[in-house]
Structures are given as structure tokens and as C-alpha cells.
Amino acid sequence: MEKTTLKSPKRQIQLIDPPGVDITPPEEASAIGRVGFKKKKSVEILSPYVEAYYDAKKNVLSVNAVVYVDHTKVINEVLDYSIFQNTFVDLDGNPQLQFFIVYDMPEELSEDLVIYEIIFTADADNFIGGLSNIEQIQTFLWDVDPVASRGTVTNVQSG
């Protein structure tokens, strides 16, 4: 895990990568729309919407994630993000997969969010179990200056 320290006029910010290996795809994420909330109920980030598919013929686990990003973090329609894949062993001794979609979130969310579709595949070489055994994955949005993260559990479908 790599740590980077930045200096801010107000305070010192320490950037922290999540556990695992960087599997960021070379393609940029696609902006698929915008949404505005006139009355924010909280400053919490929104959980990603995630679908996961395992293709047995190719031994590929592909993930489609829809994430909501504060419009101030999007420059020229490009989202600066990375994806980390982590393996852990659950209490029953079964290997599990986690994915972290990482970007620098603002301290307070605005009312305007850009919706991105992020498509990636699991790295089978960095997973200690067989991908065919995965029934569920965990996917998180991760703030690099770690104010917050938000995640979801997704069932893996055949496909």
C-alpha cells in the first residue's frame, strides 16, 4: 500500500490507497448522464450500482459499475479514477473478492452528480481461489483522502 502526503492551506491531507492490486483498465470510464438533487438529505456518497458476470468458457469475471461522481471532480468529461482488486478469506475459509473504485471525493457532495459506467474484469492471477467459485463480490467507492467509502454486495451471474 502506498501513502502520499499532500499539504493543504487548511490541513495536511494523507492519501491512502485501498488494499489489493491496481487493475485499472486502460479505457476511460463513460459518462452516461447527470443527476441533480435539489434537497440533499446528507453528505454521504451514493453506493455504486454493480452487476457481475462470470463467463465459464473464457474464465472471465466482468463487472459493470455505475457510480455517481461530484461534478467538480470531472475535468473535460474525464474521471480520474483507479480500481483495486483485493482478495480476502472469509470466516468459513473461502476466498472472496473486493473491488475498490478510487477517486478524490470532495468533503461535501454538491447537488449535481455525473453518472459514470465503469467496466472492468477481475484479474484471475491475483485471486487465490478459482473465479468459478465466486458467488458474490463486494464493490466500494473509496475516497483517497479517506473521508468516506461506500459499498455494496453483488451476486455474480452466469454470462
Side-chain angles (χ1 to χ4, degrees), residues 3-109:
K3 294 182 182 180
T4 306
T5 303
L6 299 178
K7 295 201 178 198
S8 166
K10 295 180 182 177
R11 63 183 171 94
Q12 191 172 1
I13 300 171
Q14 185 175 23
L15 302 183
I16 300 175
D17 286 336
V21 295
D22 189 336
I23 62 163
T24 306
E27 314 79 42
E28 293 179 354
S30 302
I32 58 174
R34 295 178 86 93
V35 65
F37 295 99
K38 301 233 184 284
K39 294 184 180 181
K40 294 186 300 180
K41 302 233 185 262
S42 74
V43 296
E44 293 182 9
I45 58 178
L46 298 173
S47 294
Y49 173 78
V50 179
E51 292 182 347
Y53 302 94
Y54 176 71
D55 184 333
K57 290 180 183 177
K58 297 179 182 175
N59 190 36
V60 172
L61 177 67
S62 58
V63 180
N64 292 17
V66 174
V67 298
Y68 303 90
V69 178
D70 188 293
H71 79 284
T72 62
K73 293 299 177 180
V74 178
I75 301 170
N76 297 326
E77 298 297 316
V78 175
L79 175 62
D80 182 20
Y81 76 99
S82 56
I83 298 174
F84 283 75
Q85 174 180 313
N86 185 49
T87 301
F88 71 98
V89 178
D90 68 14
L91 294 174
D92 296 323
N94 301 312
Q96 302 293 322
L97 270 177
Q98 292 178 319
F99 299 99
F100 298 90
I101 301 169
V102 182
Y103 79 100
D104 186 15
M105 298 174 212
E107 300 301 316
E108 292 183 21
L109 284 180

Side-chain angles (χ1 to χ4, degrees), residues 95-132:
Q96 302 293 322
L97 270 177
Q98 292 178 319
F99 299 99
F100 298 90
I101 301 169
V102 182
Y103 79 100
D104 186 15
M105 298 174 212
E107 300 301 316
E108 292 183 21
L109 284 180
S110 75
E111 297 173 355
D112 298 313
L113 302 173
V114 180
I115 304 168
Y116 275 89
E117 180 179 30
I118 298 175
I119 301 170
F120 59 95
T121 58
D123 183 347
D125 294 336
N126 283 307
F127 180 60
I128 59 174
L131 290 178
S132 63

